[in-house]
Amino acid sequence: MTRTVPWQPNTIADLRECLDRITADGTVPGGVIAHGTFDSEPGFLASGVVAPECGDARPGPDTVYDVASLTKVLAGWPLVGTFLRNDLDTPVSRLLPGIPAEAPGGRVTVRQILAHTSGLRADTRLDQYRNRTEPLAELICGEDLIAEPGAGHRYINRGFILLGLALAHSRGRRLDELAAEFWQRLGMTNTTYGPVARSAQVAPTEQRLPGAPRLWGMPHDDNAALLGGVAGHAGVFTTPADLAAFAAHLLSSHATSGPQGRWLTASMQPQAAIEPGLDRGLAWILADDGRVAHHHGFTGTSLYLAPATGRYLAICTNAVYHHRDNRTRLAPLRALALKAITGEPVGAPN
């Protein structure tokens, strides 16, 4: 049984200070950090407002956020572990109808997609397929590869779109239905594919045109929107409380060698180097010599898991509300979160 390591008050205080700072300087309208261990009740830090459109509504555990690429680990990754785990080294041409084995993308495997070593086109651009009549999987796999499959790491959304299609085909059901059943089993009652109804508890994201309404309850990702909001790479909306429930379930299953825990263990084996100190496992980014798994979402979200200590941390913000360059603007909070989850001594960055 894993010996959980509780969060220290000074670490929580540092995280709160950093969240307050990026709210005060306009990086985000507000946000929530969920933290805990799998055998304790979650704690929540909140700052700012949901958004100006929501009046004085404050963000909290039940605020709904578009989590963008966290969809990959909330939907695609656990469903692959449930339904396609024995097919990790199977080419997608065998999992989807109508794809010739000689198609450039047809030989890409499930493992390579999860590891972002597929060599598929890096730009998603599903809008280029408007007015085409061929099935989407055939169009994606028919494109020339940009690298030999397995040759190296490059973050690719198209692979997870293919995984979503393969999951739906393998089970004869829509991807959102499969995901909803999984989330319901974990008690994640506020997690869903969009669109969701606008309310003061739903965080708006970006204003695409001056004077036009912001995206609010609609997927921020253009390609997920083109797919009706349901895709393997983006489109999920969830809450800090549900992210805590998801993380606690994975870590508890890991501690007891349950099915999802075994899948997490397998997924934390390095598949490709990203940069010094970071590797890609199956979907997850690995840090701290492979002891921490994490993933980010473009809208301003992150999820961190440390199975060895039983700890998790989730960040929910709508950082794209003010700025699209959220990667650099959120860097101090994300760096602090990574240090906190590894158990290193931390201090809020200046």
Side-chain angles (χ1 to χ4, degrees):
M1 185 73 176
T2 300
R3 182 180 68 86
T4 56
V5 178
W7 289 91
Q8 297 302 308
N10 62 322
T11 301
I12 300 303
D14 290 336
L15 289 165
R16 180 185 295 279
E17 179 184 347
C18 192
L19 179 60
D20 286 343
R21 183 181 300 130
I22 66 169
T23 300
D25 69 13
T27 297
V28 298
V32 182
I33 296 175
H35 58 89
T37 61
F38 69 81
D39 58 355
S40 65
E41 290 297 314
F44 299 96
L45 309 174
S47 186
V49 297
V50 175
E53 287 89 340
C54 302
D56 60 358
R58 304 291 178 178
D62 297 323
T63 303
V64 177
Y65 288 90
D66 176 347
V67 296
S69 280
L70 284 192
T71 297
K72 295 178 175 70
V73 294
L74 288 176
W77 171 78
L79 292 177
V80 168
T82 301
F83 299 121
L84 298 179
R85 188 170 177 183
N86 293 328
D87 297 306
L88 293 184
D89 296 308
T90 301
V92 294
S93 61
R94 298 184 189 174
L95 299 176
L96 285 163
I99 300 177
E102 65 273 13
R107 57 196 176 100
V108 171
T109 68
V110 174
R111 182 187 303 276
Q112 290 164 344
I113 289 173
L114 289 171
H116 292 280
T117 61
S118 65
L120 293 166
R121 270 179 54 181
D123 60 320
T124 311
R125 292 298 307 277
L126 299 188
D127 61 298
Q128 294 182 342
Y129 298 143
R130 285 193 175 106
N131 302 319
R132 297 285 295 270
T133 58
E134 302 96 318
L136 178 58
E138 186 177 334
L139 289 167
I140 291 175
C141 289
E143 299 276 4
D144 289 337
L145 300 178
I146 61 171
E148 184 67 17
H153 180 273
R154 187 162 184 175
Y155 191 79
I156 305 289
N157 281 323
R158 284 170 162 247
F160 275 78
I161 293 171
L162 286 177
L163 284 185
L165 297 173
L167 284 162
H169 177 72
S170 71
R171 309 308 297 174
R173 301 180 62 194
R174 287 171 53 98
L175 177 63
D176 54 337
E177 293 175 350
L178 296 172
E181 285 189 355
F182 173 76
W183 297 326
Q184 287 293 324
R185 289 197 297 272
L186 271 59
M188 299 167 63
T189 56
N190 291 311
T191 302
T192 184
Y193 273 100
V196 298
R198 294 182 178 184
S199 78
Q201 282 303 104
V202 176
T205 56
E206 188 178 5
Q207 184 182 44
R208 294 286 173 80
L209 296 172
R214 291 180 181 276
L215 294 176
W216 193 357
M218 300 293 293
H220 179 267
D221 184 274
D222 291 338
N223 297 286
L226 283 172
L227 294 173
V230 179
H233 74 295
V236 167
F237 289 75
T238 192
T239 65
D242 275 11
L243 282 178
F246 177 72
H249 169 80
L250 292 181
L251 294 173
S252 177
S253 184
H254 180 275
T256 58
S257 296
Q260 287 295 328
R262 294 195 298 273
W263 177 229
L264 179 61
T265 298
S267 299
M268 291 182 68
Q269 301 303 309
Q271 304 292 315
I274 301 175
E275 60 183 57
L278 294 179
D279 293 299
R280 180 72 67 175
L282 298 178
W284 296 90
I285 303 169
L286 308 179
D288 194 30
D289 293 325
R291 290 186 289 268
V292 169
H294 67 290
H295 206 289
H296 304 305
F298 185 83
T299 46
T301 57
S302 298
L303 179 62
Y304 304 81
L305 306 174
T309 61
R311 298 197 300 188
Y312 64 82
L313 188 150
I315 298 172
C316 288
T317 76
N318 47 340
V320 291
Y321 185 94
H322 292 309
H323 314 281
R324 287 208 110 213
D325 58 341
N326 65 310
R327 293 182 185 180
T328 55
R329 292 176 179 271
L330 283 181
L333 180 59
R334 285 173 167 169
L336 185 65
L338 185 57
K339 288 183 179 179
I341 197 74
T342 62
E344 296 179 16
V346 299
N350 295 323

